[in-house]
Amino acid sequence: MSIAPDPVELSAPRDPASYGRSRLMGPGFWALIAFGVLCILAGFGISRFGPQLFPVKPQAPASAVAVPLAAPASGPAATEAALPLADEAPAPPMSEAVVRLTERIEALEAEQSRTAEAAASALAAAALMEASQTSRPFADELAALDAVSPPSTELRALRRIAERGAPSRAALAASFPDYAARAAGAARAPGEGAGLGARLAAALSRVVTLRQVGDVPGTGIDALLARAERQVEEGDLDHALKTLDGLPPAGREAVAPWRAAAENRADIDRRVSAVRVQALEDLARLARSGA
């Protein structure tokens, strides 16, 4: 006979969650919780009071850090170290070709500057020539030429008469017949011992002046005045003034005002022409040298 097994005592199964609760709620669990809280409090305290309790010492700047100097080395390595850097190396001397080219460029620039000044002087001289031919003053045109031209005797002489100017050649030619008539009448005036007829003829000449004009031969008063008038009309003041020198004293005195104006005009034209010729010669010389 077999022995019947003991009956197994059956009971209801336990809840699985009860196993977890019994294991998690033990002493180890609470120790772990306490350690975490302590870590949090320690971190907060260090971040809050650490800079005050443990101040950071300032570091010296990089330039102030002392670098121990090694003993000077010798040999090729030391020689290479002593050489200056490439940026600090002196510029190599210019070659002879570069020096000659630089000198040539500087000479061309100086020559160009002189040519520009000479051209400006020539233009100013032309403007002065045009202005001086009129009867008005020409001080402004003379000042413009004086500013771009070297000092000269002609310019200094022109400054004295530029403020007043002189009558133009056309104005002198228009006024000459009146002065020629006065000179003819004054030259024919009777002397102290003249008779009645001569005195009547002189009085009549003051009312109606008769003189020969055109190409009159001879050396008489009418011939000299006619020759001078033709020369004035042709613009030849220098020869006209020389012709008037042959008049008798009374005739020269009669044309003295006209003569003074004509001498000023001739002086202006002569000096302005000399200044203009000099300016053109300077410009031409520079142009030839630069060619």
Side-chain angles (χ1 to χ4, degrees):
M1 274 180 79
S2 62
I3 300 174
D6 295 334
V8 178
E9 185 177 356
L10 299 176
S11 62
R14 299 177 61 182
D15 186 7
S18 62
Y19 293 99
R21 283 194 300 267
S22 62
R23 293 177 181 178
L24 292 177
M25 300 302 290
F29 171 78
W30 293 111
L32 181 61
I33 293 299
F35 179 75
V37 172
L38 289 176
C39 289
I40 294 174
L41 293 177
F44 175 77
I46 291 174
S47 62
R48 177 66 177 84
F49 302 103
Q52 298 178 3
L53 297 177
F54 307 100
V56 179
K57 294 182 180 181
Q59 295 182 357
S63 60
V65 176
V67 178
L69 298 177
S74 59
T79 304
E80 294 179 0
L83 292 177
L85 298 178
D87 295 340
E88 300 177 357
M94 292 187 297
S95 63
E96 185 178 356
V98 174
V99 171
R100 288 199 303 269
L101 180 60
T102 303
E103 293 176 351
R104 178 59 178 167
I105 292 174
E106 293 176 353
L108 289 175
E109 291 177 350
E111 185 177 352
Q112 184 178 6
S113 176
R114 290 193 299 269
T115 303
E117 292 177 357
S121 179
L123 290 176
L128 176 64
M129 172 71 76
E130 182 178 357
S132 65
Q133 296 302 307
T134 65
S135 299
R136 65 177 180 83
F138 51 92
D140 293 341
E141 289 79 6
L142 180 61
L145 176 60
D146 202 6
V148 295
S149 298
S152 66
T153 304
E154 305 298 342
L155 291 178
R156 287 193 296 269
L158 285 171
R159 293 192 196 104
R160 297 193 298 267
I161 52 181
E163 294 293 341
R164 63 178 185 273
S168 64
R169 292 174 180 265
L172 290 172
S175 63
F176 183 79
D178 183 37
Y179 283 97
R182 297 179 191 179
R188 294 191 181 96
E192 296 180 356
L196 180 59
R199 293 180 181 275
L200 289 176
L204 182 61
S205 66
R206 295 189 186 98
V207 180
V208 179
T209 301
L210 298 176
R211 67 180 183 88
Q212 294 177 333
V213 295
D215 191 8
V216 181
T219 57
I221 297 174
D222 290 341
L224 292 175
L225 291 175
R227 192 177 303 125
E229 184 174 2
R230 186 181 69 253
Q231 291 168 343
V232 170
E233 290 176 352
E234 292 174 355
D236 191 359
L237 292 180
D238 292 333
H239 284 90
L241 292 172
K242 292 180 180 179
T243 302
L244 293 177
D245 289 338
L247 294 175
R252 291 198 300 268
E253 184 178 356
V255 296
W258 184 94
R259 184 185 184 91
E263 287 176 348
N264 286 335
R265 167 50 55 191
D267 188 35
I268 290 174
D269 291 348
R270 184 167 49 251
R271 295 185 184 279
V272 171
S273 178
V275 169
R276 186 167 183 264
V277 168
Q278 184 62 45
L280 292 176
E281 288 180 352
D282 293 342
L283 180 60
R285 184 178 64 256
L286 290 174
R288 287 194 299 269
S289 64

